[in-house]
Structures are given as structure tokens and as C-alpha cells.
Amino acid sequence: MKRFFALLLALMLTLGLAGCLKPAGPASGPTDAPSSAEPTEEPTDEPTEAPTEEPTEAPVTGIKDFYALVEPNSSLTVDLDFDGDPDTVSFSAGEPNEYDEYDSTVTIIEGDGSESSFAIDRAYITRLIVLDCDETDSRLDIVACWCQESDDWSAMGFRISELGSGVVTYEGGFGFILPADYDFHSEKGFRVFCRADVLGTYDLDVYYTLTAEGFKSTDDLYLFPIYEDPDIEPRLTLERELEVKLLTGEPYDFTETGETYTIPVGADIYPFCTDLATYVIVRFEGDRYGLAELAPRTGEDEWGYLINGIDQDEYGQIPYAD
């Protein structure tokens, strides 16, 4: 009996040790599963920010920097609206009369046969160009300018309608002298001259473009004429003091110094540039430059400009044209 209990006790000890042993792992070794001791990232309810797309330039759908001069009694064939059908721009000029005035006609024939004409009566200078002011709008632009009596310049822009046929026109008051090899750049615009009455009547040089809203300056910088002969350079002898903000830097790239200066009575000022809306820059005392405030006169029957809030006629004998 004692032997039986001894055998039973040995069997129970063997089974107990077997229950404490860990089974052997797989022959391939440890797995790549992360340890439970490593911290896990808590989920958040905040939305993740979507990546932003970099702005892209508008696609070129025209002909960048395209420019062509159309001579009188000639035509140009080109796809004006990029619909795949060529269009034709014709410029006909009649014989001049005894005053060297002649009639002209600008004709646009679209690829579908639609025809639009515009007559220019009794001008003694007429010019016509075709260019691409905006290479992203799928339209070429046609611009005509002409000069009539009293040296009055007028302009007209033409563009095939976005509705598919017909011509949209835009009026302007400027002229240009652009040769066939003119170095035109779409973003800069084309060079014109327009008449204004700031400190006198002058033809100011400026770069224009044609938009869906009409003609406008590309940089609002209107330049007074500069002559090699100082005796004919635009000037005004002051009959009233003119206070200006002093400028430094190279011409057309000025910065204000923070100082003001009063140009005395009897001094000559030379108009230099303006935006025709808020300022005019003048040269004085050799090569000094100053800026004065400018404002067009408004209201019914109002005409001319205010300089520093004062009618410009009070500053001297303004040389207006007839």
C-alpha cells in the first residue's frame, strides 16, 4: 500500500511540472509583431488638413507675344478666335483729298463667312495692328488708330465675340506708331501716346492692353515727352509755391525720402510722369524730383486737375492746346 501511494505522488509531481513549461515557438523564429509594451497613438476626432494644391498659371490658348502690322490696302489671314477656321482682317484706304484726308475701312471676315466692317472717315493718318494682348483668353485683338483735324487721335479695338460669331468693339482715345518689327510682349502691352492736360496739354507715352472691359494701362505710368533741346522741353514757371515730397532713386523707380520741399515762386518745374489719378512727379533745380498730389476735377462741366487740392491754373500759365 505504501508503494502505491509513493507511485501516485510521483505521477502528480510530473504532471504539475509539465503544466508550468512554455511550449516551443515556431522554427522560423520571432515574429515582427510589435511588443505590447510600445505606446500606441490615441485616435483623435480632429480632421486631418487636406494638402493644398500649388496655384497654376492659366493655360496658353493663344499666341504669346503675337504681333502683326497690317498696311493700308492689304489683309492678314489668321485664326482670330482659335476655332480652327482662318479669319481675314482687311484694311482698305481710299485716295486722299485736297487736305490729304482719306476714308478707310476695316473689314473682318470670319471663317464661317460672317463679315463685319468699320468705316473711318476723313483721317490723314490711319494705322492697324493685330496682336494677342492676353494669350489665355483664346482671342486675338485688332486695334486701329487714326488722326483727324486738330490732331485729335481716336482708337477702336475689335475682337470676335465669345458667343461664336460677330465682333465686339471697344473705343479709345490714343494713337501709336508701331513698325512691323515692333518688339511686343503680351504682359507689357503695346506702346501708345494719349493726350492729357496735366500741367499743360501733352501727348503722354504709356503701355496699353485690351481686356474684356476695354483699353487700360498696364502699369498706370504716363510719361511726359523728353526733348534733347531743353528750350522746347515741357516746363512751367511757378506763380505760386508748390510743395512736393522729395524722391530718391533712378527715374521711374523712385522712393520717397520722407522729406518735403517747397519749390518757390519763379522756379521752373518740368513735368516728368503721372498716373493721371493720384500724383504727378516734376523735376526741378537741375536733377531733383518731387511728387505732388493730383486729382481730376469732378462734377458737371468740371474739367482739368487739382494739384495739392488747388486748381492747377493757379500755379502758372498752363500751356493748353486749342
Side-chain angles (χ1 to χ4, degrees):
M1 181 65 68
K2 290 180 179 180
R3 185 177 180 181
F4 172 76
F5 281 111
L7 292 172
L8 182 59
L9 181 59
L11 179 60
M12 293 175 64
L13 288 173
T14 301
L15 293 174
L17 290 173
C20 295
L21 295 177
K22 181 179 179 180
S28 60
T31 66
D32 294 331
S35 168
S36 61
E38 296 180 2
T40 59
E41 187 174 333
E42 292 292 331
T44 63
D45 295 332
E46 297 181 3
T48 58
E49 185 177 350
T52 58
E53 294 184 1
E54 292 293 330
T56 57
E57 295 183 357
V60 174
T61 57
I63 310 174
K64 182 176 174 59
D65 301 336
F66 175 82
Y67 167 83
L69 173 68
V70 184
E71 297 283 0
N73 297 314
S74 68
S75 63
L76 174 70
T77 299
V78 63
D79 192 353
L80 295 170
D81 55 356
F82 301 95
D83 62 353
D85 295 326
D87 313 292
T88 301
V89 180
S90 297
F91 175 22
S92 62
E95 293 295 325
N97 60 20
E98 64 271 26
Y99 305 107
D100 287 330
E101 301 169 328
Y102 57 90
D103 297 334
S104 301
T105 303
V106 177
T107 303
I108 302 169
I109 303 176
E110 300 177 51
D112 62 1
S114 302
E115 182 173 321
S116 303
S117 294
F118 178 80
I120 302 170
D121 299 327
R122 300 187 66 175
Y124 58 87
I125 299 175
T126 306
R127 300 185 177 107
L128 184 69
I129 57 176
V130 180
L131 65 171
D132 197 349
C133 291
D134 182 357
E135 68 271 15
T136 67
D137 66 358
S138 301
R139 291 292 185 276
L140 294 184
D141 307 291
I142 305 164
V143 184
C145 73
W146 61 94
C147 186
Q148 295 170 311
E149 61 179 350
S150 299
D151 289 334
D152 289 331
W153 284 88
S154 302
M156 183 72 72
F158 309 88
R159 181 182 290 149
I160 291 183
S161 171
E162 294 184 358
L163 299 178
S165 185
V167 174
V168 181
T169 60
Y170 307 86
E171 293 185 359
F174 59 84
F176 52 77
I177 305 173
L178 302 177
D181 59 350
Y182 178 66
D183 188 18
F184 170 70
H185 299 278
S186 301
E187 65 278 1
K188 186 176 182 179
F190 57 101
R191 188 172 182 175
V192 308
F193 52 86
C194 64
R195 181 161 292 184
D197 295 305
V198 178
L199 292 175
T201 303
Y202 300 106
D203 287 332
L204 307 182
D205 286 338
V206 62
Y207 283 90
Y208 267 13
T209 190
L210 180 58
T211 71
E213 288 72 42
F215 292 106
K216 69 175 185 177
S217 168
T218 57
D219 56 9
D220 291 328
L221 182 62
Y222 295 78
L223 310 181
F224 286 85
I226 298 177
Y227 299 97
E228 294 183 0
D229 184 353
D231 292 334
I232 61 174
E233 189 173 8
R235 76 177 70 188
L236 177 68
T237 301
L238 289 178
E239 297 177 358
R240 180 189 181 114
E241 294 179 340
L242 175 64
E243 184 177 276
V244 295
K245 298 177 181 178
L246 293 180
L247 304 173
T248 187
E250 295 297 320
Y252 314 118
D253 191 23
F254 293 116
T255 57
E256 297 182 13
T257 66
E259 300 175 289
T260 60
Y261 178 78
T262 300
I263 306 175
V265 172
D268 288 336
I269 61 172
Y270 300 82
F272 190 71
C273 65
T274 178
D275 66 350
L276 293 183
T278 64
Y279 74 85
V280 59
I281 293 175
V282 299
R283 181 171 60 84
F284 62 98
E285 295 178 5
D287 291 323
R288 303 181 72 187
Y289 294 89
L291 179 147
E293 293 181 359
L294 180 76
R297 297 182 65 121
T298 58
E300 188 176 357
D301 298 327
E302 291 288 343
W303 174 85
Y305 290 87
L306 303 175
I307 298 179
N308 291 343
I310 300 170
D311 190 323
Q312 68 175 6
D313 290 326
E314 296 190 22
Y315 288 96
Q317 299 298 313
I318 306 294
Y320 295 114
D322 294 335

